[in-house]
Amino acid sequence: MVDLKGQYEQIKDTVNASIQEVLDTNTYINGPQVHSFQKNLEDYLGCKHVIPCANGTDALQIAMMGLGLKPGDEVITADFTFAATVEVIALLQLTPVLVDVDIDTFNISIDAIKKAITPKTKAIVPVHLFGQAANMDEIMELAAQHNLFVIEDNAQAIGANYKSQNGEKTKVGCIGHVASTSFFPSKNLGCYGDGGAIFTNDDSLAHILRGIVNHGMYVRYHHDVVGVNSRLDSIQAGVLNAKLPKLDAYNQARQTAAAKYSAALANHKNIVTPVVVGDKDSHVFHQYTLRILNADRDGLMQHLLDKGIPCAIYYPIPLHAQKAYLDARYKESDFPVTNQLVKEVISLPMHTELDDEQIAFITGSILEFLNR
Ligand SMILES: *Cc1c(COP(=O)(O)O)cnc(C)c1O
């Protein structure tokens, strides 16, 4: 699905030099590379505070801890996403409230959020799924009306821009009260191990978060709040420093590949290609995901795998139907879109090194199956 080897070949010298610098300075934890990466990412995003941490799941958890959410508080998030989002809500003994998504963007449905808000609701977690910015104007407006926090799960959309009604563009992850991201190797900005970060423009929240990632310490050996141990290590920060200047070019390469896929697969009766809502730069194509209508989606997947083409179903089971997150409050009729999408979606290889020949082979193989 990704070609990290091919990408590494292009940036080998800078990455190796970055790692060598960490080895030479011998500061593996909290080294200067971590601080410079934090600053570089703040500048790139135009966001006041970046707090690096160990992974994207921790980032979500720490964001929720920092907001002071209490057991029993309800947190609304999308039914169609990776489980990390709902997992940390449940882990903190908050009450996850899963809601349906929109059929065209795969992102959380504004109408479904409205229906799910109760007096106990404290936060909304939109996920910018597959790289497409969620509808932040409406989400922020709803949050303001009901006095809710907005936590953006930005693991899949780093670098995407959101254009609000007033025409202003903001990097996704810098719009809500706080955001999380992941630097897992296959993400749009990936390191060579685990990594993550929390973003916020709120000075006092940033201070709280910096303590929580470090055992709740603000002064050495004084533990003011219950914290965790969640660090980005210096070697990963070095890799990220080498890759961050390339992020816009990487996202453009993904957008170009997506446009080529869509051109080759346009106007086929069994295929719905992904839509981009807003300007071109509002979708950074973490995944390129088709919907297959009135055809054998699983047969297509097997056909592609047989031809040596990687592909995957993101996500095969709605979160509301997962054993760990069953809840008597849910009715199947609350999730018509997620229930439909899990049967229709298929994600194709998407990365920075896709060439025309590969795209032609992949799209040709899809059409060959659907047209026979
Ligand atoms: C990858 C991902 C995460 C978790 O990130 P990790 O670094 O693997 O913990 C969370 N949410 C979404 C939507 C993701 O895609």
Side-chain angles (χ1 to χ4, degrees):
M1 295 294 281
V2 296
D3 182 7
L4 292 174
K5 179 103 173 38
Q7 189 189 66
Y8 172 67
E9 291 302 328
Q10 310 285 325
I11 52 172
K12 200 171 180 164
D13 293 343
T14 16
V15 170
N16 289 7
S18 258
I19 294 175
Q20 189 61 50
E21 187 191 299
V22 178
L23 298 174
D24 291 339
T25 49
N26 267 290
T27 42
Y28 299 109
I29 298 294
N30 246 324
Q33 295 79 11
V34 178
H35 301 280
S36 60
F37 173 63
Q38 173 189 324
K39 176 77 175 60
N40 293 340
L41 189 56
E42 286 166 354
D43 291 347
Y44 171 82
L45 294 167
C47 185
K48 269 177 99 175
H49 304 282
V50 166
I51 298 105
C53 66
N55 59 68
T57 309
D58 274 9
L60 273 168
Q61 178 184 328
I62 294 158
M64 287 181 205
M65 291 170 77
L67 293 172
L69 301 181
K70 298 278 179 320
D73 286 352
E74 293 180 1
V75 179
I76 297 174
T77 194
D79 189 34
F80 187 64
T81 177
F82 182 57
T85 327
V86 66
E87 174 179 82
V88 300
I89 298 171
L91 194 68
L92 293 172
Q93 294 185 293
L94 312 172
T95 304
V97 178
L98 296 166
V99 303
D100 211 6
V101 298
D102 283 335
I103 191 88
D104 49 352
T105 61
F106 309 132
N107 275 330
I108 195 163
S109 151
I110 303 300
D111 285 338
I113 298 175
K114 284 182 186 164
K115 282 190 206 131
I117 292 175
T118 75
K120 287 186 174 171
T121 308
K122 288 287 151 36
I124 307 171
V125 187
V127 183
H128 304 293
L129 201 73
F130 302 152
Q132 165 71 59
N135 186 342
M136 292 306 293
D137 278 340
E138 294 218 46
I139 291 168
M140 295 310 291
E141 198 177 308
L142 265 183
Q145 276 166 16
H146 296 272
N147 203 17
L148 310 176
F149 293 118
V150 174
I151 305 157
E152 294 174 74
D153 182 342
N154 195 27
Q156 301 191 1
I158 195 162
N161 286 296
Y162 181 76
K163 187 155 126 192
S164 58
Q165 277 141 7
N166 65 15
E168 219 172 274
K169 277 194 183 182
T170 312
K171 284 270 185 292
V172 161
C174 310
I175 303 164
H177 300 91
V178 61
S180 60
T181 199
S182 164
F183 305 122
F184 186 80
S186 64
K187 305 284 174 164
N188 291 38
L189 178 62
C191 57
Y192 295 159
D194 272 312
I198 311 152
F199 316 155
T200 185
N201 281 310
D202 179 328
D203 297 340
S204 56
L205 179 59
H207 174 74
I208 294 168
L209 295 169
R210 288 208 173 90
I212 293 175
V213 296
N214 187 26
H215 302 288
M217 277 198 294
Y218 297 90
V219 176
R220 199 156 173 78
Y221 298 122
H222 293 258
H223 303 274
D224 294 358
V225 295
V226 177
V228 294
N229 170 27
S230 188
R231 298 184 281 239
L232 180 72
D233 69 69
S234 305
I235 290 182
Q236 300 313 330
V239 172
L240 290 165
N241 270 332
K243 286 177 77 171
L244 180 60
K246 297 250 168 202
L247 178 58
D248 283 342
Y250 285 161
N251 282 339
Q252 279 157 20
R254 289 171 178 271
Q255 288 158 346
T256 303
K260 287 178 182 168
Y261 272 139
S262 290
L265 299 171
N267 304 319
H268 191 284
K269 66 180 191 329
N270 301 120
I271 302 176
V272 181
T273 56
V275 293
V276 177
V277 176
D279 292 350
K280 186 168 176 263
D281 57 359
S282 72
H283 198 326
V284 290
F285 285 96
H286 175 60
Q287 297 296 343
Y288 181 87
T289 303
L290 299 173
R291 290 171 54 210
I292 303 299
L293 309 185
N294 307 312
D296 178 8
R297 189 269 318 258
D298 293 341
L300 169 63
M301 178 162 170
Q302 195 54 53
H303 174 74
L304 297 179
L305 293 174
D306 289 346
K307 298 191 84 169
I309 299 169
C311 53
I313 310 301
Y314 301 124
Y315 296 91
I317 304 169
L319 291 178
H320 80 268
Q322 298 282 358
K323 246 194 207 168
Y325 305 110
L326 295 176
D327 187 321
R329 82 169 72 199
Y330 301 139
K331 297 190 295 288
E332 282 311 310
S333 58
D334 296 332
F335 307 102
V337 177
T338 310
N339 285 339
Q340 182 184 340
L341 288 176
V342 294
K343 294 185 210 127
E344 294 177 347
V345 289
I346 181 166
S347 298
L348 304 183
M350 175 47 77
H351 53 81
T352 57
E353 314 302 312
L354 276 170
D355 62 32
D356 288 354
E357 202 182 321
Q358 290 168 323
I359 291 172
F361 180 62
I362 295 165
T363 54
S365 302
I366 293 170
L367 296 174
E368 171 189 71
F369 180 85
L370 294 175
N371 293 339
R372 75 186 178 196

